[in-house]
Amino acid sequence: MEKIPFNKPHLTGKETHYIYDAVNAGKISGNGKYTKLCQDYLKERYSFRKCLLTTSCTDALEMAALLIDIKPGDEVIMPSYTFVSTANAFVLRGAKIIFADSREDHPGIDEDSIEALITSKTKAIVPVHYAGVACDMDKIMALADKYDLFVIEDAAQAIESFYTGKDGIKRALGSIGHLAAFSFHETKNIISGEGGMLAINDPQFMAKAEIIWEKGTNRSAFFRGEVDKYGWVAVGSSFLPSEIIAAFLWAQLENLDDIQTKRLQHWNKYHEGLKEWAMENDIRLPGIPDFATNNAHMFYLVCKDLEQRNVVIDNLKSNGILAVFHYLSLHKSPFYLDQHDGRNLVNADRYTDCVVRLPFFYELEKDAINFIKNELYEAVKNI
Amino acid sequence: MEKIPFNKPHLTGKETHYIYDAVNAGKISGNGKYTKLCQDYLKERYSFRKCLLTTSCTDALEMAALLIDIKPGDEVIMPSYTFVSTANAFVLRGAKIIFADSREDHPGIDEDSIEALITSKTKAIVPVHYAGVACDMDKIMALADKYDLFVIEDAAQAIESFYTGKDGIKRALGSIGHLAAFSFHETKNIISGEGGMLAINDPQFMAKAEIIWEKGTNRSAFFRGEVDKYGWVAVGSSFLPSEIIAAFLWAQLENLDDIQTKRLQHWNKYHEGLKEWAMENDIRLPGIPDFATNNAHMFYLVCKDLEQRNVVIDNLKSNGILAVFHYLSLHKSPFYLDQHDGRNLVNADRYTDCVVRLPFFYELEKDAINFIKNELYEAVKNI
């Protein structure tokens, strides 16, 4: 058996064809034909008001922090169990991060713990849809309404995932908060190497987002003929990706349904093969709440403790299978430990110690999943 | 005669080959093989201490602002006649921009005007090497020494351009200041669509730059085995480009000498064909001071006034030739007008009104340059 990597970027076949096309059209800087194709497609498919491609999900989060005008002293509530970029984007603007714990039954933010963290300084809540599984957005949006806060969905892993609220309407993740950030990093379902997207749902941000994206200039309005010259009108950055990246992404988006079908097959195969074994060994498999759908972004186990996880990772590794842990609680990071208010976040710490992600990518064969499953059986038997 | 665009991205031939290679190697996110190839090549060729690819020159400038720890109230001196990103990068960190005028004989910063602008709040000088032509770096570095300031070279246009100081040593632009930012935007000599690079010359920034680049984590040190785990250790962002972009860039760098030879031919052809005509019509051609070299980044005219420039641009346009103006003085921009201290910057305003850039790209044919030259003759004759 060959080695099984944790991730393998999937090529749909037309990526380089579209890159050639972009180059031959003489336009490889940002905001060209492929950027527009991707943006229009994503906007329509997921009912965003507007969306803008970015060079990373990190950059999309930074745009969000600029849009809601985060200032030094503002507080932003987010889970501790998340990627550093969720926090960095707001720290860069001077915010204090108030870390919330994860749910007992899921690594996502514990929605019921949020209200107690809100103060007069709170400006935003940033729910992270861990593994592409929705947070309970009704609860979060109700808090935002009650306390006049912004909600920025960290939807890095959440493409093609949905939430059905109490009104019975099924909405795409990223279309519910005021703003949302997606990732097209090579480890995601739909990829462009590095890459991301900002989704804009609150209309007050539509014009401003475009300006920030274009280096603080009103260049987009100029090209639409809305202003007669363009200049420096606000602070901004260069958030837009090259057309090379957008062309690559377009080839992926054209195959979104195929990619999702295949990934769901892998996910179900894992789940089917592991559910009894997991119960017998005090290991938890990912659960999908009734209000959420499954986008098959990843397949992870929550081991019963750190020791069990170490055995699993080491045993798989010695059999050529790369399974990996995930985030380290940010409230205990070298950078933020002193700034955290000392609250214990037991679930975040448990996921830090106990989550292990299994190999997951389009080309993963049925045989490979069986092999991984059997090696998991063996690993845990030996504890 | 076909239409002549202002710019046309040049493909060296192996761009998509290397992109394929990166994808097949299973690594298209940042900091892979091609990123290292590009960084090592550029570091060696130009004697930087270290360099890091970025998603844009804007991002490299933002990294520089983070590295020198710009805080609200700090002052940064730069020319008014520059791209918005030069200023945005520091405004994002809270700096006040003190705009300097351009030289009478060149759009670059008037080095002799800088000292009068230095206050106790000044933290950095950002010279912009306009058209790839060196500022007088001896003067600027002497001020930095005298007042303990950082120098960040905006070398967006300045690849393969050099400066020879009083010590007689010829140094690459970008290797002289504490930090420097380069662009690989499609309009530059060496391109990757959108793209850039931070050059680090002051050793105090080497470790910190890598951390900021990798989202505030010590991931790079971890992979070198210098620390036993990696985590969030500082504020940072995702500045690194996809390997798709780095692979594209590598195909360009392999052909740097060929690209430069061709561009210099075009530049000399323009200069030869226009120098007498320019003198007769009160038009200035780009000059290269003795301390500088010419990297043939662009060919521009400085018309005698706005009216003459409008005639030139309009006449060329009606003959299918796209010639374009350049920056608008930032001290008069809608965003900064109220924050500027009211000093008149006459040269910056003159370049705003009078610069016109002629079509300039690798595939520009000798016939096309002759055609443009003749249309210029005609245009000015009609005034």
Side-chain angles (χ1 to χ4, degrees):
Chain A
M1 192 86 192
E2 266 188 20
K3 287 203 171 183
I4 303 174
F6 168 65
N7 179 55
K8 195 174 161 213
H10 168 60
L11 258 197
T12 68
K14 293 187 83 173
E15 283 83 356
T16 44
H17 171 75
Y18 290 143
I19 289 173
Y20 256 118
D21 181 53
V23 173
N24 287 337
K27 168 70 179 172
I28 56 171
S29 62
N31 200 11
K33 166 181 150 188
Y34 286 102
T35 297
K36 289 181 184 75
L37 277 172
C38 292
Q39 290 177 175
D40 289 347
Y41 177 87
L42 290 159
K43 174 177 175 282
E44 289 306 312
R45 185 168 179 123
Y46 299 124
S47 299
F48 309 133
R49 284 235 193 203
K50 183 181 180 76
C51 67
L52 294 169
L53 295 190
T54 57
T55 53
S56 63
C57 184
T58 304
D59 274 31
L61 288 163
E62 288 177 17
M63 282 188 73
L66 282 167
L67 281 167
I68 65 168
D69 200 23
I70 291 286
K71 298 260 185 254
D74 288 343
E75 294 180 357
V76 177
I77 299 170
M78 63 181 63
S80 174
Y81 191 69
T82 185
F83 189 53
V84 289
S85 291
T86 319
N88 268 325
F90 299 91
V91 172
L92 275 168
R93 307 306 311 147
K96 178 170 169 60
I97 308 298
I98 307 297
F99 287 115
D101 205 359
S102 296
R103 291 165 64 118
E104 198 281 325
D105 64 346
H106 186 269
I109 194 168
D110 181 353
E111 299 90 348
D112 296 327
S113 76
I114 295 173
E115 190 162 10
L117 303 176
I118 295 172
T119 72
S120 60
K121 293 179 180 167
T122 308
K123 186 105 182 224
I125 305 169
V126 187
V128 180
H129 302 302
Y130 186 80
V133 176
C135 299
D136 192 343
M137 292 304 291
D138 276 350
K139 287 185 181 174
I140 292 170
M141 296 311 290
L143 289 174
D145 276 350
K146 184 171 169 186
Y147 294 99
D148 198 20
L149 308 175
F150 291 112
V151 173
I152 294 157
E153 296 178 69
D154 183 337
Q157 307 170 6
I159 196 157
E160 192 66 15
S161 197
F162 298 84
Y163 171 79
T164 305
K166 276 175 245 142
D167 60 7
I169 299 171
K170 188 173 168 182
R171 290 185 177 84
L173 298 190
S175 74
I176 304 165
H178 302 82
L179 298 161
F182 286 84
S183 173
F184 304 118
H185 184 265
E186 70 169 19
T187 51
K188 301 304 185 292
N189 295 26
I190 299 296
I191 63 174
S192 64
E194 306 275 343
M197 170 183 66
L198 179 74
I200 299 140
N201 305 310
D202 182 337
Q204 71 169 299
F205 296 127
M206 289 173 67
K208 195 176 165 193
E210 213 170 51
I211 287 169
I212 289 175
W213 188 61
E214 280 273 27
K215 307 167 189 82
T217 71
N218 51 356
R219 187 170 177 273
S220 297
F222 173 75
F223 281 115
R224 284 195 302 266
E226 295 166 13
V227 293
D228 64 358
K229 64 177 181 174
Y230 84 86
W232 193 27
V233 295
V235 72
S237 180
S238 184
F239 289 112
L240 63 182
S242 168
E243 275 284 288
I244 298 168
I245 295 294
F248 191 103
L249 184 64
W250 180 240
Q252 295 268 316
L253 289 174
E254 282 190 329
N255 290 277
L256 201 154
D257 290 325
D258 170 59
I259 290 169
Q260 288 303 107
T261 302
K262 187 76 116 180
R263 293 184 75 105
L264 278 164
Q265 284 166 3
H266 297 338
W267 199 96
N268 290 328
K269 174 96 190 147
Y270 264 132
H271 196 264
E272 199 54 44
L274 293 173
K275 64 184 178 189
E276 281 181 37
W277 163 84
M279 285 212 341
E280 287 161 10
N281 290 284
D282 247 351
I283 288 168
R284 283 228 307 264
L285 300 189
I288 313 291
D290 289 342
F291 56 67
T293 61
N294 179 16
N295 76 341
H297 169 59
M298 70 164 89
F299 199 91
Y300 64 93
L301 314 174
V302 186
C303 292
K304 69 175 175 189
D305 53 28
L306 180 61
E307 189 203 347
Q308 190 191 48
R309 185 180 74 175
N310 287 342
V311 169
V312 165
I313 290 177
D314 292 348
N315 268 270
L316 293 183
K317 196 174 178 185
S318 65
N319 287 287
I321 300 161
L322 198 61
V324 293
F325 58 88
H326 209 182
Y327 307 131
L328 308 182
S329 294
L330 294 182
H331 72 289
K332 288 193 172 169
S333 66
F335 181 55
Y336 225 77
L337 185 59
D338 290 346
Q339 295 172 73
H340 179 63
D341 54 26
R343 277 172 300 115
N344 248 335
L345 305 176
V346 293
N347 291 324
D349 290 344
R350 185 164 52 85
Y351 293 116
T352 297
D353 286 347
C354 301
V355 164
V356 53
R357 294 176 290 161
L358 302 181
F360 207 94
F361 47 89
Y362 184 96
E363 278 88 358
L364 195 63
E365 298 293 335
K366 208 193 243 187
D367 287 355
I369 295 179
N370 280 327
F371 176 67
I372 294 165
K373 186 186 74 182
N374 291 329
E375 292 306 324
L376 278 170
Y377 292 175
E378 286 304 311
V380 173
K381 210 184 279 174
N382 296 335
I383 296 180
Chain B
M1 191 87 190
E2 266 189 21
K3 286 200 173 184
I4 303 174
F6 169 65
N7 179 55
K8 194 174 160 211
H10 168 59
L11 259 195
T12 68
K14 291 187 86 174
E15 284 83 356
T16 45
H17 172 75
Y18 291 142
I19 289 173
Y20 257 118
D21 182 54
V23 173
N24 288 337
K27 167 71 178 173
I28 56 170
S29 62
N31 199 11
K33 166 180 150 187
Y34 286 102
T35 297
K36 290 182 184 74
L37 276 171
C38 292
Q39 289 177 174
D40 289 348
Y41 177 87
L42 290 158
K43 175 177 174 283
E44 288 307 312
R45 185 168 179 123
Y46 299 123
S47 299
F48 309 133
R49 284 234 192 203
K50 184 180 180 77
C51 66
L52 294 169
L53 295 190
T54 57
T55 52
S56 63
C57 185
T58 303
D59 274 32
L61 289 163
E62 288 177 16
M63 282 188 72
L66 282 166
L67 281 167
I68 66 168
D69 200 23
I70 292 285
K71 299 260 185 254
D74 289 343
E75 293 180 357
V76 177
I77 298 169
M78 64 182 63
S80 174
Y81 192 70
T82 185
F83 190 52
V84 289
S85 291
T86 319
N88 268 324
F90 299 91
V91 172
L92 274 168
R93 308 306 310 147
K96 179 169 169 58
I97 309 299
I98 307 297
F99 287 114
D101 205 359
S102 297
R103 292 165 64 118
E104 199 281 326
D105 64 345
H106 187 269
I109 193 167
D110 179 353
E111 300 89 348
D112 296 327
S113 75
I114 296 173
E115 190 161 11
L117 303 177
I118 295 172
T119 73
S120 59
K121 292 180 181 168
T122 308
K123 187 108 182 224
I125 305 168
V126 187
V128 181
H129 302 301
Y130 187 81
V133 175
C135 299
D136 192 342
M137 292 305 292
D138 277 349
K139 288 185 181 174
I140 292 170
M141 297 311 290
L143 289 175
D145 276 351
K146 183 171 172 187
Y147 295 98
D148 197 20
L149 307 175
F150 291 111
V151 173
I152 295 158
E153 295 177 70
D154 183 336
Q157 306 171 7
I159 198 157
E160 192 69 10
S161 197
F162 298 84
Y163 171 78
T164 305
K166 276 175 247 146
D167 61 7
I169 298 171
K170 187 173 167 181
R171 291 184 176 85
L173 297 190
S175 73
I176 302 165
H178 302 83
L179 297 161
F182 286 84
S183 173
F184 304 118
H185 185 265
E186 70 169 19
T187 50
K188 302 303 186 292
N189 295 25
I190 299 296
I191 62 174
S192 64
E194 305 276 342
M197 170 181 68
L198 179 74
I200 299 140
N201 303 311
D202 183 337
Q204 71 167 302
F205 296 126
M206 289 174 68
K208 195 175 165 194
E210 211 170 50
I211 288 169
I212 289 175
W213 189 60
E214 280 274 25
K215 306 165 189 82
T217 70
N218 50 358
R219 187 169 176 274
S220 297
F222 173 75
F223 282 114
R224 283 195 302 266
E226 295 165 14
V227 293
D228 63 358
K229 63 178 182 175
Y230 84 85
W232 193 27
V233 295
V235 72
S237 181
S238 184
F239 288 111
L240 64 181
S242 168
E243 275 284 287
I244 298 168
I245 295 294
F248 190 103
L249 184 63
W250 180 240
Q252 294 268 317
L253 290 175
E254 282 190 329
N255 290 277
L256 201 154
D257 290 325
D258 170 59
I259 290 168
Q260 288 302 108
T261 302
K262 186 76 115 180
R263 292 184 76 104
L264 278 164
Q265 284 166 1
H266 297 338
W267 199 95
N268 290 329
K269 174 94 188 145
Y270 264 132
H271 196 265
E272 199 53 43
L274 293 173
K275 64 185 179 189
E276 281 181 37
W277 164 84
M279 286 213 338
E280 288 160 10
N281 291 283
D282 244 350
I283 289 169
R284 281 229 306 263
L285 301 189
I288 313 291
D290 289 342
F291 55 68
T293 61
N294 179 16
N295 76 341
H297 169 58
M298 69 165 89
F299 198 91
Y300 63 94
L301 314 174
V302 185
C303 293
K304 69 176 177 187
D305 52 29
L306 180 60
E307 190 203 346
Q308 190 190 46
R309 185 179 74 175
N310 287 343
V311 170
V312 165
I313 290 178
D314 292 348
N315 269 270
L316 293 182
K317 196 172 176 186
S318 65
N319 287 288
I321 300 162
L322 198 61
V324 294
F325 59 89
H326 209 183
Y327 308 131
L328 309 182
S329 294
L330 294 182
H331 72 288
K332 289 193 173 170
S333 65
F335 182 54
Y336 225 78
L337 184 59
D338 290 346
Q339 295 172 72
H340 178 64
D341 54 26
R343 278 172 299 116
N344 248 334
L345 305 176
V346 291
N347 292 324
D349 291 344
R350 187 166 49 88
Y351 293 116
T352 297
D353 286 347
C354 302
V355 164
V356 54
R357 295 176 290 160
L358 302 181
F360 208 95
F361 47 89
Y362 184 96
E363 277 88 357
L364 196 62
E365 299 292 336
K366 207 193 246 189
D367 286 354
I369 296 178
N370 279 328
F371 176 67
I372 294 164
K373 188 186 72 180
N374 290 329
E375 292 305 326
L376 278 170
Y377 292 175
E378 287 303 312
V380 172
K381 210 183 281 175
N382 297 334
I383 296 179

